Amino acid sequence: DDPSVNLPELAVTTGCSPHHLSRIFPLVVGCSLSQYRMQLRMAFALERLGEGEDNLSLVAAQAGFADHAHLTRVATRLLGETPSSLRNAIQRGGKRA
């Protein structure tokens, strides 16, 4: 559940080669390791927004995104909304304006 863990580190932890892990990970989890890591980052960012953090640049940095723009691109691709609109929805208790 740590998005900073990379393929070689995870392979050592699981006791298999990076090549084997990269082949079986999608079969077991349903997506590639990089996609899974991005989902973990996004979940962390949403958690921070849910805790009341308003600074999206700070949330992006804490979640491991390159910058606020990177967070925005990923949120829009995965969730169909920008972090700002997600933050506003969270603050309104999930109700749409």
Side-chain angles (χ1 to χ4, degrees), residues 42 46 49 75 79 81-91:
M42 195 68 240
L46 291 173
L49 294 174
L79 305 172
E81 294 191 48
T82 66
S84 297
S85 65
L86 292 166
R87 177 192 59 207
N88 294 339
I90 289 168
Q91 290 174 348

Side-chain angles (χ1 to χ4, degrees), residues 4-59:
S4 67
V5 173
N6 61 31
L7 180 63
E9 292 169 341
L10 191 56
V12 168
T13 301
T14 59
C16 61
S17 74
H19 176 73
H20 180 68
L21 181 59
S22 69
R23 290 184 51 153
I24 65 166
F25 192 90
L27 299 174
V28 173
V29 179
C31 63
S32 70
L33 179 59
S34 61
Q35 291 169 328
Y36 186 74
R37 290 174 60 197
M38 196 58 66
Q39 291 171 4
L40 289 176
R41 287 184 178 129
M42 195 68 240
F44 178 82
L46 291 173
E47 184 178 315
R48 293 292 294 130
L49 294 174
E51 293 168 352
E53 180 58 61
D54 285 331
N55 184 330
L56 294 176
S57 293
L58 177 62
V59 169

